[in-house]
Amino acid sequence: MDDLRDKYLTLINDAGDEAALEELRVQAVGKKGEISLKMRELGKMTPDERQVAGPKLNALKDEINAALAAKKAALADAALEARLSEEWLDVTLPARPQRQGSIHPISQVTEEITAIFADMGFAVAEGPQIDTDWYVFDALNIPSHHPARAEMDTFYMHRDEADERAPHILRTHTSPVQIRSMEKQGAPIRVIAPGRVYRADYDQTHTPMFHQVEGLCIDKDISMANLKWVLEEFVKAFFEVDDVELRFRASHFPFTEPSAEVDIQCSWEGGVLKVGEGDDWLEVLGSGMVHPDVLRNAGVDPDEYQGFAFGIGIDRLAMLKYGIPDLRAFFDADLRWLKHYGFAPLEAPALHSGLSK
Ligand code: DAH
């Protein structure tokens, strides 16, 4: 029995992997294993012999089983150890320059805009890019015969003639998020909604997909004066200038009354755009006081609440701020362009650290 014990303990100790260990288990304590067979021989012994050999064999079997289990655990530990030392990753290393991606100017500008409005208490709202014509047009006071509907060059989703559901379209502006957020949250409300919008148009300053940010502020005593202040603060912060003049031009949008288009003061001296100086004007956004019908369509009582809304072209702002001449290049996914105009990935825009530094 001592020989058996020594033999198996040595073999188990030397086993190189789990398969070898399993073989040893079968050989020693499996059904036809050496130790099992010995146990069967107990039946042929005299009672006296059995009384001595029985417990010894049982103890041996237990010892072998324990040795097998311990070796199995040690092998598993060693395998894990080997894997860990092979697959390690030093997360304290700085990102290697040759592997660094860059932040797309649209993402950068969206983050900048969000940081500025967040500082003024605006939350970020979202809505679907595929929406119904109720949210994109009707609820915003643009009925089916309205010319604004044709001006928007809408993409319609395909649908079967028998389909009776409301037509789905790619949203032509972010204004439907006004309706959706008021439905959800009611008033008072203060949100911006950045996102993708779609129109069938393509030239140096138009792409079929582009980006807008919607703004909405509704409460009991919000006026045009609040709108003017918010937009002035925004433009100064965004273009990182101390002072800038805004020009409000009377305009028309079905969802606002009164409506204003806003221009910012700029100069084009030497072909370089400078915001906040000179005597040229640049149109940057549409805005106005939200039309009572729009509030009503979204479940807000216009006798109790009022407020302003605005819509800004994000791509347009990115072109202006970072001197990017052609909008189409934004979406060509040209690596050289991205390297040139992209932003460092580890520096999130924040007002306290400087938006674009
Ligand atoms: N939705 C308009 C567009 O895409 C932009 C706009 C104008 C949004 C005035 C507004 C607004 O919220 O008040 O052309």
Side-chain angles (χ1 to χ4, degrees):
M1 230 181 266
D2 283 344
D3 288 349
L4 263 183
R5 185 174 167 276
D6 289 347
K7 172 178 144 189
Y8 279 111
L9 287 183
T10 311
L11 284 172
I12 289 169
N13 191 46
D14 293 346
D17 54 34
E18 277 198 43
L21 205 59
E22 175 60 15
E23 233 168 75
L24 282 172
R25 190 191 64 78
V26 173
Q27 236 183 74
V29 293
K31 259 194 190 147
K32 292 181 183 157
E34 246 183 303
I35 295 170
S36 310
L37 290 178
K38 282 261 176 297
M39 290 182 109
R40 254 182 248 171
E41 284 170 17
L42 287 174
K44 293 178 213 151
M45 292 180 187
T46 64
D48 281 352
E49 283 172 332
R50 201 181 306 141
Q51 214 160 38
V52 181
K56 273 196 171 176
L57 267 176
N58 269 326
L60 175 62
K61 191 180 169 193
D62 288 349
E63 194 178 351
I64 297 294
N65 273 330
L68 284 166
K71 182 67 183 182
K72 191 170 171 179
L75 282 174
D77 277 355
L80 181 65
E81 212 43 59
R83 220 181 114 194
L84 286 177
S85 71
E86 216 169 84
E87 297 178 1
W88 67 274
L89 181 70
D90 184 351
V91 294
T92 65
L93 276 180
R96 296 182 182 106
Q98 70 270 26
R99 291 219 198 132
Q100 215 170 58
S102 61
I103 301 296
H104 194 283
I106 296 296
S107 305
Q108 166 78 17
V109 165
T110 304
E111 288 298 319
E112 293 180 17
I113 294 171
T114 306
I116 298 168
F117 282 109
D119 198 54
M120 294 193 266
F122 285 77
V124 173
E126 285 187 309
Q129 292 174 41
I130 300 173
D131 213 338
T132 60
D133 61 355
W134 161 258
Y135 282 105
V136 178
F137 297 129
D138 302 78
L140 288 160
N141 206 24
I142 317 176
S144 44
H145 59 269
H146 200 285
R149 210 137 156 165
E151 279 160 26
M152 292 226 186
D153 301 307
T154 312
F155 285 112
Y156 283 83
M157 306 299 290
H158 171 78
R159 69 171 184 159
D160 295 334
E161 267 178 40
D163 196 334
E164 308 231 303
R165 289 172 303 173
H168 278 75
I169 57 181
L170 293 178
R171 67 179 181 194
T172 56
H173 53 176
T174 44
S175 302
V177 188
Q178 288 187 31
I179 306 292
R180 288 182 175 276
S181 7
M182 283 190 282
E183 275 180 350
K184 244 186 257 161
Q185 186 185 324
I189 188 170
R190 211 186 310 174
V191 289
I192 57 163
R196 293 184 167 178
V197 298
Y198 303 83
R199 289 182 203 178
D201 209 351
Y202 188 71
D203 61 34
Q204 191 175 341
T205 51
H206 296 89
T207 49
M209 185 281 298
F210 59 106
H211 300 80
Q212 290 187 335
V213 57
E214 195 75 14
L216 177 70
C217 173
I218 305 289
D219 209 330
K220 294 206 164 152
D221 51 5
I222 298 292
S223 72
M224 281 298 261
N226 301 118
L227 169 66
K228 185 161 184 281
W229 183 84
V230 163
L231 290 177
E232 276 169 359
E233 288 303 304
F234 166 69
V235 169
K236 278 191 285 184
F238 180 76
F239 287 103
E240 300 175 59
V241 292
D242 292 331
D243 222 357
V244 65
E245 212 172 307
L246 290 191
R247 184 170 73 176
F248 282 67
R249 259 182 308 109
S251 181
H252 175 77
F253 300 104
F255 30 89
T256 44
E257 183 58 40
S259 305
E261 277 177 285
V262 178
D263 306 333
I264 52 176
Q265 171 203 18
C266 68
S267 88
W268 285 105
E269 222 171 293
V272 184
L273 171 77
K274 289 221 177 90
V275 169
E277 45 191 83
D279 43 21
D280 260 331
W281 296 95
L282 198 75
E283 188 196 318
V284 287
L285 61 95
S287 65
M289 297 300 291
V290 178
H291 196 291
D293 284 347
V294 172
L295 294 175
R296 213 171 280 124
N297 286 336
V300 170
D301 180 359
D303 292 327
E304 200 179 341
Y305 288 102
Q306 60 177 21
F308 62 79
F310 55 84
I312 308 176
I314 293 182
D315 320 72
R316 190 94 203 274
L317 285 189
M319 292 170 79
L320 292 172
K321 182 166 177 180
Y322 294 110
I324 304 170
D326 193 324
L327 177 62
R328 291 169 297 192
F330 276 85
F331 311 117
D332 282 346
D334 181 334
L335 264 185
R336 292 161 304 176
W337 186 93
L338 284 170
K339 278 211 180 95
H340 181 77
Y341 286 111
F343 291 82
L346 298 176
E347 282 159 33
L351 287 179
H352 58 84
S353 57
L355 280 182
S356 58
K357 277 162 216 107

